């Protein structure tokens, strides 16, 4: 999301009306902007370790600190960058925990990197279909990709980090990802490396490389990788025939 | 001089400024009373020029924060004993 552009009136109202606001946002300046909206904004960023702490511990701590305030009877708002429910564990979890304990809780949608990506790269996910994966998931688990659809990979900058402690991994880890993707995509297939603008003075950063060059290309944690479709859609003759028969039967009965 | 965050918010919500050319932006920022540093940042798209207006210490502290997506590969659905997240070193 972009400062000044992408905060909905309702989300802003929630921030302004809360007793306490927790923040995990994309840019330090965005955090300062948030502080203008509420006198008690508490940053969640310091809970991250410096390579010595699993992010899973951090995200559980976030849930704990938010719930502590909820249990104290305060109106709590948590502002996460983009859409709070997309590639974010804690917002879903804290809502689940709050509801389980009998507190009302809900999520307001926001404009995520995914939404900005569709606009900036001119992709319509409905045209060929679109798959989204956390990049490490493709390495950790057997995953059947559809190269006829668009593929969006998140957190390629730290792909293969099993410790959940690091904020970047190197070219050798990206090479494993390239090897996995090479099962379905040719080595000269285009790969788009995208970063949305978080400040309104910025432009989106869009770089294009081939799949074979992805391992040697630095990718930061905030960048998202997109692989356009590699093969045409194949008409399903059997189903088309079946639908034609249904249409014919329907026409005959009219 | 207009406040940095106020200027950013103004640009962010103004259709004529959000996608303005460098020249148009520079002209608008003169009217808005932006600092030289802010104008450099806005025209170049390089936010590091904002450091001067926002205060170097605060700027560095905030911008050295991690910017990873706040998720981890799902631990619950896998059938493998060697789950990610349980390792001391990858």
């Amino acid at each position: 999301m972009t400062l000044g552009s992408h905060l909905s009136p309702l989300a802003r109202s929630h921030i302004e009306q809360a007793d306490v606001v927790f923040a995990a946002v994309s840019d330090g300046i965005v955090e300062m902007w948030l502080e203008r909206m509420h006198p008690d904004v508490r940053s969640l960023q310091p809970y991250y370790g410096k390579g010595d702490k699993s992010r899973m511990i951090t995200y559980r701590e976030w849930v704990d600190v938010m719930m502590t305030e909820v249990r104290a009877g305060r109106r709590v708002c948590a502002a996460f960058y983009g859409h709070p429910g997309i590639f974010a564990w804690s917002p879903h979890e804290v809502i689940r925990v709050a509801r389980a304990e009998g507190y009302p809780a809900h999520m307001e949608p926001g404009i995520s990197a995914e939404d900005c990506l569709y606009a900036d790269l001119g992709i319509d996910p409905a045209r060929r279909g679109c798959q989204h994966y956390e990049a490490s998931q493709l390495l950790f688990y057997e995953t059947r990709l559809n190269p006829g659809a668009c593929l969006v990979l998140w957190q390629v900058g730290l792909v293969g980090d099993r410790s959940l402690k690091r904020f970047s991994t190197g070219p050798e880890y990206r090479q494993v990802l390239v090897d996995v993707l090479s099962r379905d995509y040719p080595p000269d297939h285009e790969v788009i490396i995208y970063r949305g603008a978080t400040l309104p003075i910025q432009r989106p950063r869009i770089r294009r490389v081939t799949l074979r060059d992805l391992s040697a290309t630095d990718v930061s944690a905030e960048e998202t990788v997109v692989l356009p479709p590699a093969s045409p859609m194949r008409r399903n003759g059997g189903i088309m025939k079946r639908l034609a028969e249904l249409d014919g039967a329907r026409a005959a009965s009219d | 001089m207009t406040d940095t965050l106020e200027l950013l918010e103004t640009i962010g919500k103004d259709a004529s400024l959000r996608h303005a050319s460098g020249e148009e932006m520079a002209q608008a920022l003169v009217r808005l009373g932006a600092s030289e540093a802010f104008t450099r940042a806005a025209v170049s798209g390089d936010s590091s020029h904002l450091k001067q207006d926002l205060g170097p210490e605060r700027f560095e502290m905030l911008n050295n924060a991690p910017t990873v997506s706040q998720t981890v590969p799902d631990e619950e659905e896998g059938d493998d004993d060697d789950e990610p997240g349980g390792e001391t070193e990858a």
Side-chain angles (χ1 to χ4, degrees):
Chain A
M1 61 88 76
T2 308
L3 188 156
S5 309
H6 293 159
L7 181 66
S8 75
L10 185 55
R12 186 173 194 131
S13 178
H14 279 298
I15 290 166
E16 289 170 346
Q17 292 181 24
D19 294 322
V20 56
V21 176
F22 289 96
V25 292
S26 55
D27 189 295
I29 299 171
V30 175
E31 193 171 303
M32 292 170 85
W33 178 51
L34 204 52
E35 288 168 0
R36 294 280 176 94
M37 295 174 214
H38 197 282
D40 189 2
V41 173
R42 303 179 192 181
S43 178
L44 292 169
Q45 291 286 2
Y47 289 88
Y48 280 116
K50 295 191 185 306
D52 55 351
K53 178 181 179 182
S54 167
R55 287 189 296 284
M56 203 60 231
I57 295 171
T58 300
Y59 301 148
R60 289 199 171 108
E61 287 173 344
W62 288 4
V63 172
D64 287 344
V65 292
M66 288 187 271
M67 282 308 300
T68 299
E69 295 299 325
V70 171
R71 290 172 192 131
R74 309 188 76 195
R75 265 184 310 179
V76 176
C77 176
F80 292 84
Y81 59 82
H83 188 305
I86 296 181
F87 287 85
W89 182 85
S90 303
H92 287 293
E93 180 64 7
V94 75
I95 286 173
R96 185 191 69 75
V97 172
R99 286 177 179 164
E101 294 183 19
Y103 300 102
H106 79 281
M107 183 181 288
E108 283 300 331
I111 295 182
S112 72
E114 178 186 352
D115 303 296
C116 297
L117 177 154
Y118 294 141
D120 292 332
L121 299 180
I123 294 170
D124 180 348
R127 195 159 169 246
R128 299 288 298 271
C130 193
Q131 311 153 92
H132 286 257
Y133 288 101
E134 202 278 340
S136 291
Q137 206 172 68
L138 290 190
L139 309 192
F140 298 160
Y141 302 102
E142 291 288 345
T143 306
R144 189 180 295 176
L145 295 176
N146 173 11
C150 191
L151 174 64
V152 182
L153 297 175
W154 299 70
Q155 302 202 132
V156 169
L158 46 143
V159 67
D161 169 34
R162 297 192 307 153
S163 70
L164 303 180
K165 293 176 180 175
R166 290 186 286 174
F167 294 100
S168 68
T169 51
E172 61 276 24
Y173 287 82
R174 285 195 295 281
Q175 184 59 50
V176 180
L177 175 66
V178 169
D179 291 344
V180 168
L181 293 172
S182 294
R183 294 178 198 157
D184 295 293
Y185 296 87
D188 60 349
H189 191 68
E190 182 183 62
V191 171
I192 305 167
I193 304 167
Y194 170 82
R195 186 193 193 283
T198 55
L199 298 180
I201 56 171
Q202 296 169 332
R203 295 282 171 262
R205 184 182 184 197
I206 300 167
R207 295 182 288 155
R208 295 172 197 271
V209 299
T210 61
L211 178 58
R212 75 160 66 79
D213 291 335
L214 180 61
S215 59
T217 306
D218 278 337
V219 181
S220 63
E222 63 266 29
E223 285 178 305
T224 303
V225 167
V226 180
L227 277 75
S231 56
M233 288 196 289
R234 287 193 316 185
R235 191 168 279 269
N236 187 332
I239 293 294
M240 291 302 284
K241 185 166 175 273
R242 188 173 158 193
L243 292 173
E245 286 166 3
L246 286 174
D247 290 344
R250 189 165 175 270
S253 68
D254 285 345
Chain B
M1 193 163 63
T2 314
D3 175 81
T4 301
L5 290 170
E6 217 175 289
L7 279 170
L8 286 170
E9 186 164 9
T10 299
I11 295 170
K13 64 184 181 189
D14 186 319
S16 66
L17 292 177
R18 179 66 185 90
H19 298 287
S21 67
E23 197 182 327
E24 291 165 339
M25 179 67 82
Q27 286 170 2
L29 290 176
V30 170
R31 286 196 303 275
L32 291 167
S35 69
E36 263 183 52
F38 188 94
T39 304
R40 271 201 303 278
V43 171
S44 67
D46 180 0
S47 61
S48 68
H49 293 295
L50 299 177
K51 196 187 295 187
Q52 196 178 315
D53 289 356
L54 293 170
E57 203 175 298
R58 177 90 165 131
F59 185 87
E60 292 297 337
M61 183 188 80
L62 290 167
N63 283 284
N64 284 332
T67 50
V68 291
S69 303
Q70 292 142 357
T71 190
V72 293
D74 199 327
E75 294 182 0
E76 292 165 11
E77 300 299 324
D79 57 358
D80 197 331
D81 290 337
D82 185 19
E83 293 288 4
E87 304 295 313
T88 51
E89 188 55 57

